[in-house]
């Protein structure tokens, strides 16, 4: 597990309480994601894609097995350690963008830095850079309602990479976009990968899989295949 591996899951299991019983959301998932690659998680609804992303982000706790993320043993980390790791190093892109409507795009993008105590001027500079990386220069002062869905998703991605966080987790980043805009967002994520960011996304859209270096297929919480796209990501 060197520095070149971003995520290592070994026998990871996760259950959720359901009344008096528990539902297994993930069972015995083992995989290894090289740093600087783009991985697509796919599989039917309820197969465990979001759960796996939440575990990697430290938003949920692993019940069994071990999970190493950016060199941190997250299965053994305290909630405070997980929160710190997330704030410093991990960006999460939600399907519904979750931008704050009352803040401009640049105010949204610099929020994670301000939350970790970065001074306003430095946070603004970093936010400007992150927005430029996803093609949003010139739209800094717009409010979310004043830009397109694709631009909102770009802003959510900028917020996820601001301050050079190196792992971006995106839960169905193209799920609420038309196919052309979805393809643009996949291109942005592919470009981040080319710049060295590790990207893990979930998707129902087969067209997105061609952008991935690895495709992990989940079924009923089990990893049923994990294939490397040899040589030619689109
Ligand atoms: N917070 C929760 N409480 C109870 N059960 C949950 C919770 N989150 C997920 N589950 C269950 O865990 C299983 C996996 O859900 P998950 O959301 O990871 O699937 P998914 O592959 O992301 O599905 P979708 O494609 O619909 O987003 C499902 O059976 C789901 O009902
Ligand atoms: Mg999901």
């Amino acid at each position: 597990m060197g520095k070149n591996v971003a995520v290592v899951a070994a026998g990871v299991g996760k259950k959720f309480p359901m009344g008096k019983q528990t539902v297994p959301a993930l069972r015995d998932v083992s995989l290894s994601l090289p740093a600087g690659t783009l991985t697509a998680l796919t599989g039917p609804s309820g197969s465990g894609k979001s759960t796996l992303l939440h575990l990697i982000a430290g938003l949920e706790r692993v019940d069994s097995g071990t999970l190493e993320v950016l060199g941190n043993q997250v299965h053994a980390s305290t909630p405070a350690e997980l929160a710190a790791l997330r704030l410093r190093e991990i960006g999460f892109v939600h399907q519904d963008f979750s931008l704050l409507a009352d803040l401009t795009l640049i105010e949204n993008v610099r929020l994670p830095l301000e939350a970790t105590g970065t001074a306003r001027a430095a946070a603004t500079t970093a936010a400007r850079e992150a927005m430029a990386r996803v093609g949003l220069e010139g739209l800094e002062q717009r409010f979310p309602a004043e830009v397109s869905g694709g631009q909102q998703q770009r802003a959510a991605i900028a917020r996820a990479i601001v301050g050079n966080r190196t792992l971006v987790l995106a839960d169905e980043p193209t799920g609420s976009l038309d196919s052309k805009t979805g393809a643009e967002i996949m291109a942005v994520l592919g470009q981040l990968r080319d710049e060295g960011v590790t990207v893990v996304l979930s998707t129902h859209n087969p067209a997105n899989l061609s952008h991935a270096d690895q495709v992990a297929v989940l079924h009923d919480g089990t990893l049923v295949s994990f294939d490397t796209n040899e040589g030619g990501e689109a």
Side-chain angles (χ1 to χ4, degrees):
M1 310 192 187
K3 269 213 160 81
N4 297 326
V5 183
V7 176
V8 184
V12 164
K14 177 67 183 174
K15 294 180 172 129
F16 288 107
M18 259 274 278
K20 289 181 181 164
Q21 301 187 318
T22 58
V23 190
L26 287 177
R27 313 175 220 228
D28 197 23
V29 170
S30 299
L31 49 71
S32 177
L33 309 181
T37 64
L38 192 156
T39 302
L41 309 177
T42 191
S45 185
S47 58
K49 304 179 297 293
S50 296
T51 302
L52 184 53
L53 289 173
H54 292 162
L55 291 176
I56 294 170
L59 293 166
E60 300 273 2
R61 308 288 316 213
V62 170
D63 287 334
S64 51
T66 62
L67 181 60
E68 181 179 315
V69 177
L70 304 174
N72 300 271
Q73 308 294 320
V74 302
H75 58 280
S77 299
T78 64
E81 287 168 341
L82 292 176
L85 172 66
R86 207 161 48 242
L87 271 172
R88 277 196 320 270
E89 301 200 59
I90 301 175
F92 204 99
V93 182
H94 296 272
Q95 175 168 356
D96 62 359
F97 320 141
S98 60
L99 297 171
L100 300 178
D102 294 342
L103 299 183
T104 63
L105 295 188
I106 196 162
E107 287 168 348
N108 270 283
V109 171
R110 76 185 179 205
L111 266 187
L113 293 181
E114 293 192 308
T116 49
T118 304
R120 170 67 54 91
T124 300
T125 302
R128 228 172 252 292
E129 280 169 16
M131 289 183 71
R133 283 175 78 184
V134 300
L136 284 179
E137 49 279 272
L139 298 182
E140 289 83 359
Q141 304 307 329
R142 300 275 190 96
F143 288 92
E146 297 172 339
V147 300
S148 70
Q151 288 166 335
Q152 290 180 36
Q153 188 60 298
R154 284 170 194 255
I157 293 168
R159 186 179 53 187
I161 59 168
V162 73
N164 289 321
R165 281 168 296 161
T166 51
L167 175 60
V168 170
L169 307 170
D171 201 359
E172 307 209 21
T174 69
S176 52
L177 303 174
D178 63 79
S179 61
K180 179 166 171 284
T181 310
E184 283 170 21
I185 292 301
M186 288 305 299
V188 168
L189 292 171
Q191 176 200 320
L192 289 176
R193 180 269 320 275
D194 294 343
E195 294 171 7
V197 176
T198 305
V199 181
V200 187
L201 60 93
S202 71
T203 183
H204 281 280
N205 186 351
N208 289 342
L209 303 182
S210 64
H211 291 264
D213 300 301
Q214 290 93 225
V215 178
V217 182
L218 290 162
H219 221 286
D220 279 342
T222 303
L223 183 66
V224 293
S225 68
F226 184 74
D227 292 322
T228 300
N229 272 343
E230 293 295 345
E233 64 273 1

